[in-house]
Amino acid sequence: MSVLVFIEQRDGKIRSVSREALGEAVRLAEKLSGPVVAVCAAAADPGVAALGEAGAERALLASDPRFALYDAEATVAVVAAAVEAVRPDVVLFAASAMGRDLAPRVAARLGLGLASDCTALAVEGGKLRATRPVFAGKALQTVGFVRTPALVSLRPKVFAPVSRTGRQANVEVLAGAWGDPSRAHVVRVAAAASGKADLTESEIIVSGGRGLKGPENFALLDQLAAALGATVGASRAVVDAGWRPHSDQVGQTGKTVSPKLYVAVGISGAIQHLAGMSSSRCIVAINKDPDAPIFKVADYGLVGDLFEVVPALTEAVQKLNAHV
Amino acid sequence: MIQVVCVKQVADTETRVKVAGDGKSLDPAGVTWILNPYDEFAVEQALRVKEKAGAGEVIVISMGGAGVATTLRNALAMGADRAIHLRSDTAADPLSVARALAAEIAALAPRLVWLGKQAVDDDAAQVGPMLAELLHVPAVTAIATFELEGEKATVEREIEGGREVVEVQLPALFTADKGLNEPRYASLKGIMAAKKKPIEEKPAVLGDPTLDVVSLALPPARSAGRIVGQGVDGVAELVRVLHEEAKVI
Ligand SMILES: Cc1cc2nc3c(=O)[nH]c(=O)nc-3n(C[C@H](O)[C@H](O)[C@H](O)COP(=O)(O)OP(=O)(O)OC[C@H]3O[C@@H](n4cnc5c(N)ncnc54)[C@H](O)[C@@H]3O)c2cc1C
Ligand SMILES: Nc1ncnc2c1ncn2[C@@H]1O[C@H](COP(=O)(O)O)[C@@H](O)[C@H]1O
């Protein structure tokens, strides 16, 4: 029983979420005793042979200039062709911007069930079970699949990649015409300001809320983030106030994040905010109100005025960095 | 121009989730039902397109049980012209929902189909792109901006580290992200007018399911953390525990 993994690339670079998916494919393949096969659509080979190090035994490559930017309709055709060629039992995608768009289209094209944004997979009695947060993480739903292949997309930053140094995947060309020119055409990608990392892919996030009192005070968080190597996020209150862009919002109507460290500064911890960050590995709350609900989910809390605490914390982290 | 907006009735975002006796679904007791927040952006955008064109019809469509009519009235109160209620009293997997919607929408031949990026109950984010595939129309999901010039739409969608700028020829389908617009509140006049607008009810045509729900469970509670200190005096301890205990810095 084989596992097919859709490999995302942008600008000729394979994205780390795809290595996470390959890692989970390796763990599944051990239980299902089958090979792990990667499939990638790219304008030119982004180096798929090296996916052997991430766990792929075979790599199918569809190369065509049209894959320079994301082309949804043609990519669906590539995945469908790979499913036809490999006949896998499971197809994994990352629940990234691309995977969230692509996987449901593939499911509809092939008439298959998709479990999206999963945080755990299990094999019970030879059958795949996928667990996914629902109600913004307030509950966990476990689903089974009526037919194979089972389609699954995986939440970024939840699944560990594997490392098999020196291994190479067998590269095979996946040939095809990939259909008519797409009627929805990505003309360009506008880069985010200052090349900021995406929240969903950050190891450490420092988020600010209304307690910051004004947009200018986010400079305090920028400094703390620089010391921690973190990305700055925000509550909805400050996004709606226009202090921060919507792409910074964490929560039910923003991003769902699972970093190893989440620092909530001047954020009360409304249920809709908790929805987006409660699967973080370690949560720190800094708030002057000891009764703020955020302390109920925080592993470590610091009660105090952020305007005093944050600069002191930045300094202490800088000192620590200088030592190690 | 006919536009169709797919709207879902969902549990209010404040809802405390309790698992029903079947061990698979939400216990509906005491739940307040609302129009899915992302669908408000979808309804708003359709209304703006219609208002700018000065003509056209906005049809809202929802699949679900009897209670869904209230949510359809909310969308009508915002300004939609008429509603279709696909009646189904059982929960369905995303592909089944998309198929039922597609069967109805294809016959309406809309120029624009709108959905929310995701429903905040099942958090699937699947029905939009599935529906596009079933209707054979181009689609862009989770859009943050929308401009229409004649038959060409230019939209942006957020991706990791940037935004894709996408050009689309109508007919087309879009799913709305937060930030696309500022949805209007229904006016008193709108609420009164909605009472007279038609809601056509018909049975949903559901095919075979593709997923089966095994269980719904509450996540393990996060073990209670601790307050490491007060004010600036607590900073050194915080850094110590993060470095030595949690090993995250
Ligand atoms: C449908 C819906 C969807 C929503 N989606 C989201 C979402 O995705 N994300 C989200 O975040 N919210 C969301 N919300 C909004 C949510 O309900 C809250 O209103 C919001 O999270 C509050 O933001 P906040 O914590 O920054 O502000 P507040 O609740 O005002 O909290 C500010 C906090 O700062 C503290 N503070 C003030 N001054 C200081 C100081 N000097 N030092 C230290 N602490 C200080 C205060 O004690 C307080 O706890 C949603 C709401 C709805 C209805
Ligand atoms: N039962 C339904 N009736 C009408 N529209 C729906 C229904 N379920 C989902 N949708 C639409 O599909 C979007 C995405 O839902 P989902 O894929 O369930 O996250 C929602 O925002 C709605 O626009």
Side-chain angles (χ1 to χ4, degrees):
Chain A
M1 303 231 269
S2 57
V3 182
L4 180 70
V5 181
F6 174 73
I7 303 297
E8 254 177 58
Q9 59 82 29
R10 280 198 198 271
D11 301 326
K13 280 201 210 68
I14 290 166
R15 300 192 64 250
S16 62
V17 285
S18 297
R19 292 201 177 79
E20 296 169 14
L22 278 172
E24 187 61 10
V26 167
R27 290 180 287 272
L28 274 183
E30 277 163 13
K31 293 176 202 147
L32 300 170
S33 58
V36 173
V37 185
V39 58
C40 182
D45 182 8
V48 291
L51 289 172
E53 302 208 334
E57 278 143 69
R58 293 165 62 196
L60 309 183
L61 178 65
S63 48
D64 190 299
R66 67 192 292 171
F67 297 124
L69 293 172
Y70 177 52
D71 180 330
E73 292 170 39
T75 310
V76 172
V78 168
V79 178
V83 167
E84 179 70 34
V86 176
R87 306 216 157 264
D89 293 283
V90 184
V91 186
L92 300 182
F93 301 83
S96 56
M98 192 186 289
R100 287 163 68 94
D101 185 87
L102 176 66
R105 296 179 191 249
V106 173
R109 174 82 56 100
L110 302 179
L112 296 167
L114 165 67
S116 44
D117 207 20
C118 296
T119 52
L121 300 184
V123 179
E124 282 167 27
K127 288 209 157 106
L128 186 69
R129 293 276 182 264
T131 297
R132 45 189 308 276
V134 292
F135 299 102
K138 285 184 273 186
L140 296 171
Q141 181 190 58
T142 298
V143 298
F145 300 82
V146 176
R147 286 177 49 204
T148 55
L151 307 189
V152 175
S153 70
L154 302 177
R155 179 171 291 189
K157 288 271 154 218
V158 171
F159 297 89
V162 294
S163 168
R164 305 190 152 173
T165 317
R167 295 259 201 111
Q168 294 260 312
N170 269 331
V171 181
E172 297 159 40
V173 172
L174 193 62
W178 316 130
D180 298 330
S182 273
R183 299 155 298 170
H185 177 58
V186 179
V187 286
R188 65 191 169 90
V189 172
S194 70
K196 183 175 157 175
D198 192 76
L199 284 171
T200 56
E201 295 179 354
S202 302
E203 293 280 332
I204 302 183
I205 295 172
V206 176
S207 279
R210 191 140 47 193
L212 273 116
K213 306 241 165 4
E216 63 287 356
N217 296 327
F218 271 79
L220 290 175
L221 296 194
D222 289 334
Q223 287 152 13
L224 177 58
L228 288 167
T231 309
V232 176
S235 73
R236 174 164 176 173
V238 308
V239 169
D240 286 357
W243 302 356
R244 305 294 292 182
H246 176 250
S247 53
D248 282 6
Q249 183 181 318
V250 173
Q252 186 148 27
T253 46
K255 294 201 166 119
T256 304
V257 298
S258 315
K260 74 176 184 197
L261 174 61
Y262 187 90
V263 186
V265 181
I267 290 179
S268 60
I271 195 159
Q272 298 93 349
H273 188 81
L274 302 183
M277 44 66 82
S278 48
S279 62
S280 305
R281 195 133 64 77
C282 177
I283 298 173
V284 169
I286 298 172
N287 198 301
K288 69 176 182 190
D289 172 10
D291 296 324
I294 189 78
F295 287 121
K296 294 213 177 74
V297 300
D299 299 283
Y300 305 111
L302 192 63
V303 179
D305 181 354
L306 72 91
F307 293 97
E308 293 167 9
V309 170
V310 171
L313 181 57
T314 305
E315 205 179 304
V317 172
Q318 283 164 344
K319 274 202 196 122
L320 178 75
N321 290 345
H323 278 284
V324 290
Chain B
M1 148 155 104
I2 291 179
Q3 299 182 79
V4 171
V5 191
C6 303
V7 298
K8 186 179 189 188
Q9 183 175 59
V10 297
D12 183 15
T13 56
E14 297 279 349
T15 305
R16 297 217 165 273
V17 172
K18 277 196 241 100
V19 179
D22 65 358
K24 296 179 182 185
S25 57
L26 172 72
D27 180 351
V31 171
T32 309
W33 301 98
I34 60 165
L35 173 59
N36 179 38
Y38 288 108
D39 302 353
E40 289 184 17
F41 302 108
V43 173
E44 176 64 35
Q45 201 60 43
L47 295 175
R48 289 186 188 190
V49 168
K50 178 186 161 181
E51 284 157 5
K52 200 159 169 202
E57 188 179 35
V58 174
I59 305 170
V60 286
I61 177 165
S62 187
M63 187 187 121
V68 162
T70 357
T71 292
L72 285 169
R73 288 269 176 236
N74 293 346
L76 293 173
M78 283 176 76
D81 298 293
R82 66 183 175 97
I84 300 172
H85 177 183
L86 298 180
R87 184 69 191 265
S88 160
D89 295 313
T90 47
D93 60 300
L95 189 54
S96 300
V97 174
R99 283 172 173 159
L101 292 171
E104 190 62 30
I105 294 170
L108 298 167
R111 299 303 286 166
L112 282 163
V113 180
W114 297 96
L115 299 92
K117 167 175 94 163
Q118 86 190 47
V120 302
D121 51 2
D122 63 21
D123 286 323
Q126 293 190 26
V127 173
M130 285 176 162
L131 185 56
E133 184 68 30
L134 299 174
L135 292 173
H136 306 291
V137 291
V140 189
T141 53
I143 62 169
T145 65
F146 178 85
E147 300 286 343
L148 184 63
E149 255 188 73
E151 289 289 284
K152 191 182 87 180
T154 305
V155 304
E156 292 182 4
R157 78 187 282 261
E158 201 200 317
I159 61 168
E160 298 81 4
R163 276 183 175 199
E164 279 174 348
V165 182
V166 194
E167 292 180 352
V168 195
Q169 223 47 55
L170 302 198
L173 177 150
F174 299 97
T175 76
D177 198 355
K178 175 175 176 280
L180 176 61
N181 52 45
E182 204 50 68
R184 68 195 65 189
Y185 288 103
S187 64
L188 193 59
K189 202 168 136 235
I191 295 168
M192 296 311 289
K195 292 189 177 150
K196 296 195 200 87
K197 292 178 179 170
I199 298 182
E200 182 189 351
E201 188 185 302
K202 45 173 91 167
V205 185
L206 290 174
D208 293 332
T210 57
L211 293 176
D212 70 87
V213 177
V214 179
S215 66
L216 183 73
L218 299 185
R222 279 191 88 92
S223 53
R226 64 175 204 267
I227 301 292
V228 296
Q230 309 280 329
V232 176
D233 297 340
V235 167
E237 175 63 3
L238 178 60
V239 171
R240 189 192 68 76
V241 294
L242 290 178
H243 184 57
E244 292 174 13
E245 258 180 48
K247 298 192 168 59
V248 287
I249 62 172

